[in-house]
Amino acid sequence: MVGRHAARSRRAALTALGALVLTALPSAASAAPLPAPGAQPAAVRTPAPAAPSARMLRAMERDLRLSPGQAAARLANEQEAGTRAGMLRNTLGDRFAGAWVSGATSAELTVATTDAADTSAIEAGGAKAAVVERGLAELRSVKEKLDASAVRVRTRQTPVWYVDVKTNRVVVQATSRSAADAFVETAGLAGRDVGVRISAKQPRLLTDLVGGDAYYINDQARCSIGFGVTKDDQQGFATAGHCGDPGATTTGFNEAAQGTFQASTFPGKDMAWVGVNSDWTATPDVKGEGGEKVQIAGSVEALVGASVCRSGSTTGWHCGTIEQHDTSVTYPEGTVNGLTETTVCAEPGDSGGPYVSGTQGQGTTSGGSGDCTNGGTTFYQPINPLLSDFGLTLKTTSAAAGTPAPPQDNAAADAWTAGRVYETGTTVSYAGARYRCLQGHQAQGVGSPESTPALWQRV
């Protein structure tokens, strides 16, 4: 695995890792953006996205096979779709069964419900309705039974399982039908509860090849820097949990003393963070396509089907789409739950690097299969659970450039708090009003609920 057992390798050309950024322009592409819902008040419209860099758009066009102009349109559509999906999710409640975007420019948003009577409301919200049998909560309860079973049995022949909102089922990826059937039976589930995908692919941790800007663990092995973070006055960076144990020391790409692993979780999750010494400063900057410096503004979770790009120390900047969230993966070293599966390629040495959708950080590379010559599948550890578990604050351009939100006027237990990670549907109080979260994210100090209608809906 990365950072624990491999011999150290050195090369002169190293490229820094961090949170790669895509920003979105108002659509000027051939495909139309998502239709505006007829009853939606102006106050809940998403703000105009910032201009993306030309290099990043070219990388999306290359990897997603888009024509010139489609990448910017896609990012703008995905930003707006996330807000609409959050509003509809809160409206549907237990009937909500998932949401995803589709099409070359993500111009179509689909929201699934278990009740056909919701169709009109979904269409009025600017989305296509899909009526399905099971709500998202029921699907997750099925997956949780598989998660529990994986603690008791070996799952190398059933290395991946996840909730697939597009097909409204839980899917097990297995090397054979018999292996899948045995895993499902051990979990106490019936065949109709779980779909099976037969594949010979065996995910592994992406380890031990020198690529771009790296850091070294205990002067023996290496990993890649993910996102800049802070905890109180301590600066540092997020990375993959399999890179090192708490207390392991790190040196930077320049071989200078750097920091110490403050916390690490692997397996189960694949998350860690390193606290650095005063010679290093956490920033929102990352080297992207062609070494261009880019930045992130937050950690709003992207929808299934959305575009996502990754920076890695071996293969650099590559893009793809999100296949599904809440995926469980068994590596030789153990099972990790709660990962996100993508179509982005990666190779050994890319582990720990960041995934970004638009201007929003998504997670850090865990592992995968395939390569960037023939294509592959990768999984990332979502950044919001990492921030929440370790009590970290993501370093963003928003905090650096904005005006802090006004202080709270009450001490309510559910008062909105900057730095806290909020899940979709969470209700908070702020300035005498109540708001419901539309998209999972870490609250930035410059963006109160009343000033971020793309993330909060007043109730």
Side-chain angles (χ1 to χ4, degrees):
M1 73 183 75
V2 174
R4 292 197 177 164
H5 303 302
R8 180 173 181 176
S9 176
R10 302 186 183 275
R11 293 183 185 173
L14 299 173
T15 305
L17 302 189
L20 290 205
V21 177
L22 291 177
T23 48
L25 281 171
S27 175
S30 56
L34 291 167
Q40 186 182 26
V44 300
R45 295 189 184 280
T46 58
S53 94
R55 281 178 171 167
M56 293 180 186
L57 294 177
R58 285 197 297 269
M60 289 183 66
E61 291 165 2
R62 176 196 68 204
D63 293 339
L64 296 175
R65 295 181 173 84
L66 303 176
S67 61
Q70 285 185 320
R74 180 166 186 142
L75 291 174
N77 288 340
E78 289 169 358
Q79 181 189 43
E80 187 173 0
T83 299
R84 294 190 182 179
M87 295 178 69
L88 288 166
R89 178 174 184 166
N90 288 337
T91 297
L92 299 178
D94 291 342
R95 303 188 302 279
F96 177 78
W100 59 93
V101 291
S102 57
T105 59
S106 297
E108 183 173 88
L109 168 65
T110 300
V111 173
T113 177
T114 57
D115 190 341
D118 293 325
T119 299
S120 296
I122 292 173
E123 292 176 347
K128 177 182 177 181
V131 181
V132 297
E133 180 181 353
R134 298 179 178 183
L136 185 59
E138 182 179 351
L139 292 173
R140 286 179 171 172
S141 70
V142 171
K143 181 182 176 292
E144 287 169 0
K145 292 181 180 179
L146 292 172
D147 294 345
S149 178
V151 176
R152 304 188 303 269
V153 300
R154 294 178 62 86
T155 54
R156 283 298 296 153
Q157 303 308 311
T158 53
V160 179
W161 57 99
Y162 53 87
V163 172
D164 187 350
V165 295
K166 292 183 179 180
T167 62
N168 193 236
R169 64 178 183 173
V170 174
V171 176
V172 170
Q173 176 184 308
T175 57
S176 68
R177 183 74 202 202
S178 60
D181 290 344
F183 184 33
V184 171
E185 182 178 355
T186 301
L189 298 169
R192 66 178 296 276
D193 294 326
V194 180
V196 175
R197 185 178 74 181
I198 303 301
S199 173
K201 293 181 179 179
Q202 292 282 351
R204 85 283 191 197
L205 301 173
L206 302 174
T207 64
D208 274 333
L209 294 181
V210 172
D213 213 19
Y215 68 95
Y216 296 90
I217 305 95
N218 290 334
D219 202 37
Q220 293 180 335
R222 56 161 293 282
C223 270
S224 304
I225 294 174
F227 298 95
V229 297
T230 59
K231 186 169 185 176
D232 299 325
D233 295 330
Q234 176 66 63
Q235 301 193 60
F237 58 86
T239 189
H242 65 262
C243 289
D245 296 318
T249 59
T250 69
T251 53
F253 69 92
N254 56 359
E255 303 184 18
Q258 182 187 66
T260 305
F261 273 81
Q262 303 297 304
S264 178
T265 305
F266 180 82
K269 300 176 183 179
D270 195 1
M271 56 175 69
W273 81 283
V274 173
V276 298
N277 62 39
S278 59
D279 293 335
W280 300 81
T281 301
T283 75
D285 299 340
V286 193
K287 289 182 180 177
E289 183 78 0
E292 184 178 66
K293 183 177 289 187
V294 291
Q295 301 177 315
I296 61 166
S299 62
V300 179
E301 182 181 84
L303 296 173
V304 169
S307 54
V308 67
C309 296
R310 173 198 60 74
S311 179
S313 59
T314 299
T315 59
W317 174 261
H318 287 276
C319 303
T321 57
I322 293 173
E323 292 293 278
Q324 60 266 327
H325 297 297
D326 197 15
T327 302
S328 294
V329 178
T330 296
Y331 300 119
E333 296 82 0
T335 298
V336 179
N337 299 312
L339 300 180
T340 293
E341 181 174 347
T342 78
T343 63
V344 188
C345 72
E347 295 181 8
D350 289 329
S351 221
Y355 285 73
V356 176
S357 183
T359 61
Q360 304 299 313
Q362 298 299 307
T364 55
T365 303
S366 176
S369 58
D371 55 44
C372 287
T373 299
N374 302 304
T377 296
T378 53
F379 305 92
Y380 65 77
Q381 165 67 58
I383 187 64
N384 284 325
L386 186 156
L387 298 172
S388 181
D389 280 13
F390 297 146
L392 305 174
T393 299
L394 186 65
K395 197 75 172 180
T396 66
T397 56
S398 301
T403 301
Q408 279 281 43
D409 59 1
N410 63 71
D414 64 350
W416 176 86
T417 305
R420 184 171 295 173
V421 173
Y422 290 103
E423 297 182 359
T424 303
T426 303
T427 301
V428 301
S429 61
Y430 183 81
R434 296 190 63 76
Y435 296 85
R436 183 172 290 120
C437 182
L438 296 175
Q439 304 181 75
H441 67 286
Q442 182 176 60
Q444 300 296 311
V446 298
S448 65
E450 64 184 3
S451 67
T452 52
L455 300 178
W456 296 97
Q457 180 181 25
R458 187 164 178 168
V459 296

